Amino acid sequence: MTLEILEAIEESSAVTQRHLAQRLGVALGLANSYLKRCVRKGLIKVQQAPANRYLYYLTPQGFAEKSRLTAEYLRVSLSFYRRASDSVVALFAELAAARCRRVVFFGVSDLAEIAALRAGDFGLELVAVVDPHTELAKWMGKAVWRELPPAEWWDVCVVTDLRAPQEAWTAVCRHVGPERVRVPEVLGVVTDRPPAAP
C-alpha cells in the first residue's frame, strides 16, 4: 500500500484521495489513513492548494523509502515466481503421468499466469479459466467463466486463486469432488480433509 501511494504521488502531486482509494482498491477512509501515516513518517509533504485541494510531494526520505520498497517488492516477487514455478512443474509432472490432458484453472492470478506458461511443457491444454470474483471477460485469450464449465470438458481443475485458495479448493471440491481438484503446493492449501457437503 505504501509503495502504491508513493508511486501515485511521484506520478502526480495533484492526486486525490479518491483516486488513491480507487488505485489501491480500498475505502476512502483507509486511503486517508495510509496517507496520514506516510505524512507522519516524513515520506510525504502536504501543501494546501486553492478550492480545498491538497498537493502531495515525496520528501527525500519518501524517495528513499520508495526505492527500498521497490527493491523489496522485486525480491519477494522473484522468490514467489521461483517457488510457484517449481510447485507448478511438480504438479504438472504428476498430471502428465496420470494422463490428464485438459485442465481448468480456478482463479485469475500471477500463479495462473505462471501455470499457463508451463502447461504446454507437459502436454496440458488449458480449456477454461474460472474466476467468480474478477471483472475480466477474457484472460490470456480465454473467456473467463464465473462457474465451472461442464465436467465432461476437462480432466482436472487446478486451483490458482491467490486471494483465498483454501476457500476456492473447498468450493470446487463441493462441486465436483476432491479427486478432480489439484492445488500447487505453494498455496499451502490443506487437502487431507474433504470439505463438508453444502
Side-chain angles (χ1 to χ4, degrees):
M1 291 279 202
T2 302
L3 179 57
E4 279 286 330
I5 289 172
L6 297 178
E7 285 178 344
I9 290 171
E10 184 179 36
E11 290 168 14
S12 171
S13 61
V15 68
T16 65
Q17 290 183 19
R18 189 166 310 283
H19 172 78
L20 281 175
Q22 289 172 342
R23 180 170 173 159
L24 297 170
V26 299
L28 184 60
L30 187 56
N32 184 330
S33 174
Y34 271 101
L35 263 174
K36 286 180 180 176
R37 189 169 134 216
C38 288
V39 170
R40 277 194 308 272
K41 287 176 140 187
L43 306 176
I44 298 171
K45 181 179 172 187
V46 183
Q47 190 175 58
Q48 191 160 7
N52 290 331
R53 299 197 46 123
Y54 295 94
L55 297 175
Y56 302 96
Y57 301 98
L58 292 186
T59 64
Q61 186 178 345
F63 279 108
E65 181 67 1
K66 181 182 164 293
S67 295
R68 186 192 71 76
L69 289 172
T70 300
E72 178 67 12
Y73 174 77
L74 291 173
R75 186 188 64 75
V76 169
S77 295
L78 187 56
S79 172
F80 171 77
Y81 176 83
R82 285 183 182 134
R83 289 183 302 117
S85 184
D86 290 347
S87 184
V88 164
V89 164
L91 174 62
F92 286 178
E94 289 176 22
L95 294 179
R99 300 193 187 281
C100 292
R101 293 290 174 253
R102 299 167 301 156
V103 297
V104 170
F105 291 168
F106 193 92
V108 171
S109 66
D110 291 343
L111 178 59
E113 287 184 28
I114 293 165
L117 293 171
R118 300 308 304 256
D121 298 343
F122 296 89
L124 300 173
E125 176 192 358
L126 177 60
V127 295
V129 180
V130 180
D131 194 322
H133 305 292
T134 187
E135 294 179 15
L136 295 174
K138 284 195 148 219
W139 179 83
M140 294 191 78
K142 299 278 183 192
V144 177
W145 294 61
R146 298 294 169 244
E147 55 189 47
L148 285 170
E152 61 270 16
W153 289 12
W154 50 275
D155 301 319
V156 66
C157 179
V158 176
V159 175
T160 53
D161 185 295
L162 291 176
R163 288 179 298 258
Q166 188 72 52
E167 289 81 359
W169 177 79
T170 300
V172 177
C173 287
R174 284 182 179 159
H175 188 73
V176 296
E179 63 281 351
R180 294 193 63 195
V181 185
R182 298 292 181 275
V183 185
E185 187 180 323
V186 70
L187 291 178
V189 171
V190 177
T191 61
D192 58 354
R193 293 188 305 267

